[in-house]
């Protein structure tokens, strides 16, 4: 991963006027994507993330701001120059957008017509289909394929012009979880093998978690938080980001269950429900044993989860700690000194973190 | 043959007339289909690409085309025949006869076809157009390699519809001097109370219509890969 910026969006505004109504879809957004990044843009539908990335290949012209891709000012290009620039920016879509009247091979070869000879085109299409693992479907039509296969065809088509950037606009949102994982794995592989820079728009933090190295969270047309994946996941600043992460790590569901149960747990004075969060190396320390040995504090694990993000483990534990009140305080101090984040949970407070 | 003579006593004696009339109807239909097909296709594509949100959005051109199509489609064909007779005289030299009938037939059917083409192309998924734009396709490539290719099955179905309504119009044009089966049915069959001639003309038209429908359906099914 280099630090060379391949996409630079500066102060992008996109405003739509529709039947007398003005909608500010994107407000003063700046975004820099480096070569080799897999940059996730997360947000609920209507947050403006699709509009924002469509500015990159000028499928959407911004109302204000500047767009630089590969050192080229995209907004100043003539339509002919824009078409050439677009060949270096592949794009895949939620609904695949394949041509129903063409075979798989013809769909993949579509961008190459007039650019390569018939023979070279055939070779290239065969290579691309091999790359996405669909060689045997070359003569089929899109209607005969499953959703995941269609998206693979769309990826092959997007790669036909050897782009340096691939924009994925909710490309996995119409797919089941297993297929989603396989498509994400393919994107990751293309990123590694071809050095492809990927901009991944999604409303699912799970997708970001699996492959992105950086993430931006969008709300109401603005990027409210951004950073590298591990720091966003370990120390989210905004409630919306926290919400996305909790959904992705399924902590929300766990907390809900635990809180429902907690009432029946009847926690006494000497018991405390806490959430422990740890990043990286601290995962390896035998924490629970240490707490017992040092402070005689017993930890009952109600929920545990470890995510591996960018090769960095990120752990979450929800435990009931029991012990003398002063020993408990000492135990928490010990955890904090070991770089573990502690959140005290109150089962009677129905507001889930 | 005797059965034919029994039920179509007048028609059997007019074999030559029927052959000629059928030829004239097919001639009017074919020439009009080619001319109106090209004009209608061009206007239909023009409407689709210049419409709001189209790939060559242009409010002025869209409105002009839209108004022309609406205007031409509002005039009843029988009246159109009479109204444009002077124009026909300028183009063809005469306002009577099979060739002269082609002028009002084109004006009557091209706007209808344009609307049909517009509707057929509107069915092409906007996302597919966007995908083509994203790989660097220009307007010409999108028209010929996406719109016309993706919309082909619907274009064929619309063409069949237009052809059948065109045969309907040729019969009307025939009745006021254009020749063809319409002329035979009205000016011979109806005026001379030779009902069997009218029925025979109608049957031949039905056969032509069914043949067009059948061929069109087969073609459309052949190019349709959506299911």
């Amino acid at each position: 991963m280099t630090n060379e910026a391949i996409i630079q969006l500066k102060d992008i505004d996109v405003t739509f006027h529709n039947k007398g109504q003005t909608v500010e879809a994107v407000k003063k957004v700046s975004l820099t994507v480096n070569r080799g990044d897999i940059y996730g843009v997360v947000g609920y539908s209507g947050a403006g993330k699709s509009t924002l990335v469509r500015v990159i290949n000028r499928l959407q012209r911004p109302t204000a701001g500047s767009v630089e891709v590969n050192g080229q000012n995209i907004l100043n290009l003539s339509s002919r120059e824009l078409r050439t620039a677009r060949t270096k920016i592949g794009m895949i879509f939620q609904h695949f957008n394949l041509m129903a009247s063409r075979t798989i091979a013809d769909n993949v070869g579509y961008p190459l017509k007039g650019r390569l000879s018939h023979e070279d085109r055939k070779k290239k299409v065969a290579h691309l289909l091999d790359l996405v693992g669909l060689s045997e479907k070359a003569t089929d039509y899109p209607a005969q394929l499953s959703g995941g296969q269609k998206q693979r065809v769309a990826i092959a088509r997007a790669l036909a012009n050897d782009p340096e950037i691939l924009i994925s606009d909710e490309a996995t949102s119409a797919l089941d979880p297993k297929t989603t994982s396989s498509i994400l794995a393919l994107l990751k592989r293309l990123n590694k093998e071809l050095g492809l820079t990927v901009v991944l728009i999604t409303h699912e933090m799970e997708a970001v978690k699996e492959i992105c190295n950086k993430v931006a969270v969008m709300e109401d047309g603005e990027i409210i938080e951004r950073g590298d994946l591990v720091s966003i996941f370990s120390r989210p600043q905004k409630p919306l980001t926290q919400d996305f992460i909790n959904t992705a790590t399924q902590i929300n569901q766990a907390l809900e269950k635990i809180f429902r149960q907690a009432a029946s747990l009847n926690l006494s004075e000497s018991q405390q429900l806490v959430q422990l969060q740890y990043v990286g190396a601290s995962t390896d320390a035998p924490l629970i044993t240490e707490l017992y040995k040092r402070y005689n504090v017993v930890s009952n694990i109600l929920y545990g989860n470890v995510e591996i993000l960018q090769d960095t483990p990120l752990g979450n534990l929800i435990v009931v700690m029991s012990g003398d009140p002063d020993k408990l305080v000492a135990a928490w101090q010990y955890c904090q000194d070991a770089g573990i984040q502690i959140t005290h949970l109150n089962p009677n407070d129905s507001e889930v973190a | 043959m005797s059965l034919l003579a029994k039920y179509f006593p007048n028609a059997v004696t007019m074999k030559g007339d029927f052959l000629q009339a059928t030829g004239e109807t097919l001639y009017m239909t074919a020439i009009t289909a080619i001319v109106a097909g090209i004009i209608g296709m061009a206007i239909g594509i023009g409407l689709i690409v210049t419409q709001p949100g189209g790939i060559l959005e242009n409010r002025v051109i869209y409105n002009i085309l839209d108004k022309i199509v609406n205007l031409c489609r509002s005039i009843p064909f029988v009246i159109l025949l009479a109204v444009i007779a002077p124009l026909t005289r300028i183009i063809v030299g005469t306002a009577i006869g099979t060739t002269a009938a082609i002028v009002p037939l084109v004006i009557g059917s091209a706007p209808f076809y344009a609307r049909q083409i517009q509707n057929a192309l509107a069915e092409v998924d906007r996302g597919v157009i966007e995908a083509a734009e994203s790989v660097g396709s220009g307007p010409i490539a999108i028209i010929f390699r996406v719109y016309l290719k993706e919309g082909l099955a619907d274009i064929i179905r619309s063409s069949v519809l237009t052809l059948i309504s065109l045969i309907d119009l040729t019969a009307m044009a025939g009745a006021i001097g254009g020749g063809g089966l319409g002329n035979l049915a009205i000016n011979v069959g109806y005026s001379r109370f030779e009902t069997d001639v009218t029925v025979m003309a109608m049957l031949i038209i039905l056969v032509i219509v069914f043949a067009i429908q059948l061929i069109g359906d087969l073609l459309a099914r052949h190019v349709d890969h959506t299911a």
Side-chain angles (χ1 to χ4, degrees):
Chain A
M1 232 156 292
T2 63
N3 279 328
E4 181 203 345
I6 189 165
I7 303 170
Q8 274 186 300
L9 305 180
K10 271 197 198 116
D11 300 327
I12 298 295
D13 272 328
V14 181
T15 309
F16 295 115
H17 300 278
N18 193 13
K19 288 172 190 148
Q21 279 195 319
T22 304
V23 180
E24 284 183 83
V26 177
K27 301 170 208 163
K28 280 256 172 285
V29 170
S30 297
L31 183 73
T32 303
V33 179
N34 289 341
R35 197 175 285 277
D37 273 348
I38 301 186
Y39 206 122
V41 179
V42 198
Y44 288 120
S45 50
K49 47 196 195 310
S50 269
T51 311
L52 177 68
V53 299
R54 287 154 52 88
V55 165
I56 297 170
N57 60 0
R58 220 173 90 187
L59 278 180
Q60 175 66 51
R61 201 181 236 293
T63 318
S66 72
V67 183
E68 212 171 276
V69 177
N70 245 331
Q72 214 175 11
N73 183 343
I74 292 290
L75 301 182
N76 284 347
L77 300 181
S78 69
S79 37
R80 177 184 286 268
E81 288 165 335
L82 175 64
R83 292 206 290 275
T84 311
R86 276 179 179 165
T87 60
K88 292 297 163 203
I89 311 171
M91 191 163 183
I92 54 175
F93 308 84
Q94 178 172 6
H95 299 295
F96 325 121
N97 296 351
L98 298 177
M99 297 183 207
S101 64
R102 292 174 189 268
T103 62
I104 300 313
D106 284 348
N107 265 288
V108 175
Y110 171 85
L112 300 170
K113 189 87 181 276
R115 286 173 223 246
L116 288 184
S117 72
H118 183 73
E119 272 308 302
D120 288 348
R121 201 164 74 231
K122 247 174 110 177
K123 259 186 239 159
K124 178 111 198 206
V125 167
H127 168 72
L128 287 164
L129 284 178
D130 185 46
L131 192 66
V132 298
L134 281 177
S135 297
E136 75 280 12
K137 301 282 183 192
T139 54
D140 285 9
Y141 285 90
Q144 296 162 269
L145 266 53
S146 71
Q149 290 172 327
K150 284 183 200 168
Q151 198 57 282
R152 283 168 187 275
V153 176
I155 291 171
R157 175 177 67 182
L159 295 177
N161 284 315
D162 302 312
E164 295 171 36
I165 299 166
L166 181 70
I167 300 170
S168 163
D169 186 358
E170 295 276 10
T172 60
S173 301
L175 304 174
D176 62 68
K178 200 174 157 217
T179 315
T180 295
S181 286
S182 79
I183 293 291
L184 291 174
L186 173 62
L187 293 180
K188 179 88 193 168
R189 203 182 93 212
L190 296 170
N191 167 258
K192 281 219 169 104
E193 286 176 11
L194 310 175
L196 194 68
T197 306
V198 180
V199 180
L200 186 98
I201 310 166
T202 180
H203 63 269
E204 300 164 317
M205 203 57 146
E206 287 96 327
V208 170
K209 188 181 84 185
E210 273 189 60
I211 63 166
C212 295
N213 65 323
K214 288 185 193 152
V215 55
V217 182
M218 274 192 90
E219 188 179 27
D220 290 334
E222 289 171 293
I223 292 184
I224 57 166
E225 194 164 1
R226 71 181 89 203
D228 67 85
L229 184 71
V230 178
S231 52
I232 290 282
F233 259 75
S234 54
R235 273 181 298 279
Q237 306 296 320
K238 295 281 164 50
L240 178 69
T241 314
Q242 181 69 61
D243 203 37
F244 270 117
I245 291 168
N246 284 348
T247 310
T249 51
Q250 296 186 322
I251 285 184
N252 269 355
Q253 286 129 291
L255 280 175
E256 213 171 289
K257 274 186 210 149
I258 289 166
F259 279 20
R260 221 181 296 139
Q261 229 177 19
S264 56
L265 281 178
N266 262 330
L267 296 177
S268 68
E269 290 280 308
S270 58
Q271 290 179 309
Q272 177 74 45
L273 187 66
V274 294
Q275 180 179 359
L276 305 173
Q277 251 186 336
Y278 44 93
V279 185
S282 43
T283 327
D284 305 330
L287 179 77
I288 305 293
T289 329
E290 282 297 311
L291 289 179
Y292 181 69
K293 273 206 285 197
R294 285 172 190 243
Y295 308 102
N296 223 1
V297 167
V298 178
S299 306
N300 179 21
I301 301 174
L302 302 180
Y303 171 84
N305 175 41
V306 180
E307 302 281 351
I308 309 287
L309 304 169
Q310 297 284 298
D311 303 324
T312 307
L314 179 71
N316 260 299
L317 279 181
I318 295 170
V319 300
V320 176
M321 288 188 176
S322 322
D324 291 341
D326 52 330
K327 287 283 168 84
L328 276 177
V329 174
W332 298 333
Q333 189 56 50
Y334 171 80
C335 291
Q336 261 165 2
D337 292 345
I340 294 164
Q341 246 181 293
I342 292 202
T343 318
H344 298 273
L345 305 171
N346 184 358
N348 302 321
D349 182 6
S350 55
E351 282 292 309
V352 175
Chain B
M1 211 58 208
S2 58
L3 207 65
L4 208 59
K6 185 177 168 198
Y7 289 107
F8 295 95
N10 304 304
V12 285
T13 64
M14 299 167 62
K15 209 169 171 184
D17 294 311
F18 269 103
L19 276 177
Q20 197 201 338
T22 306
E24 283 168 357
T25 291
L26 291 177
Y27 166 78
M28 283 189 284
T29 306
I31 302 293
T32 308
I34 291 167
V35 179
I38 292 168
I39 295 171
M41 180 71 83
I43 296 175
I45 291 170
L47 282 167
I48 268 294
V49 297
T50 61
Q51 76 183 9
I55 55 170
L56 294 171
E57 185 172 345
N58 187 319
R59 204 160 286 245
V60 176
I61 296 180
Y62 176 77
N63 277 321
I64 292 173
L65 291 177
D66 191 53
K67 295 292 173 300
I68 291 175
V69 168
N70 277 348
L71 180 76
C72 292
R73 289 195 50 199
S74 315
I75 306 170
F77 186 67
V78 182
I79 298 175
L80 184 76
L81 284 170
V83 170
I84 64 158
L87 176 70
T88 308
R89 231 171 263 124
I90 293 170
I91 297 174
V92 192
T94 170
I96 300 164
T98 312
T99 307
I102 289 170
V103 177
L105 283 172
V106 166
I107 294 171
S109 59
F112 178 76
Y113 191 51
R115 217 34 117 192
Q116 295 290 325
I117 291 296
Q118 184 191 9
N119 289 340
L121 298 185
E123 290 297 309
V124 176
D125 187 356
R126 176 72 211 163
V128 175
I129 305 296
E130 205 160 71
E133 285 183 307
S134 80
V135 298
S137 285
I140 299 294
I142 290 175
I143 289 170
F144 285 98
R145 301 186 51 220
V146 184
Y147 269 127
L148 296 186
K149 175 97 174 130
E150 283 293 287
L152 189 58
D154 278 337
I155 289 172
I156 290 171
R157 291 187 193 105
S158 314
S159 303
V160 167
L161 191 66
T162 309
L163 264 180
I164 290 171
S165 85
L166 177 58
I167 289 171
D168 175 24
L169 298 188
T170 64
M172 229 188 288
I176 65 153
L181 289 163
N183 177 45
L184 204 60
I186 302 298
N187 291 337
V188 177
Y190 185 70
S191 305
R192 291 195 212 153
F193 303 103
E194 292 177 1
T195 312
D196 66 306
V197 174
T198 311
V199 171
M200 183 56 93
M202 181 193 77
L203 287 177
I204 295 173
I205 288 175
L206 283 183
V207 168
I208 295 173
V209 168
F210 284 145
I212 290 171
Q213 186 76 57
L214 184 72
I215 293 167
D217 284 350
L218 288 175
L219 272 178
R221 207 174 310 153
H222 179 70
V223 301
D224 194 349
H225 297 284
T226 51

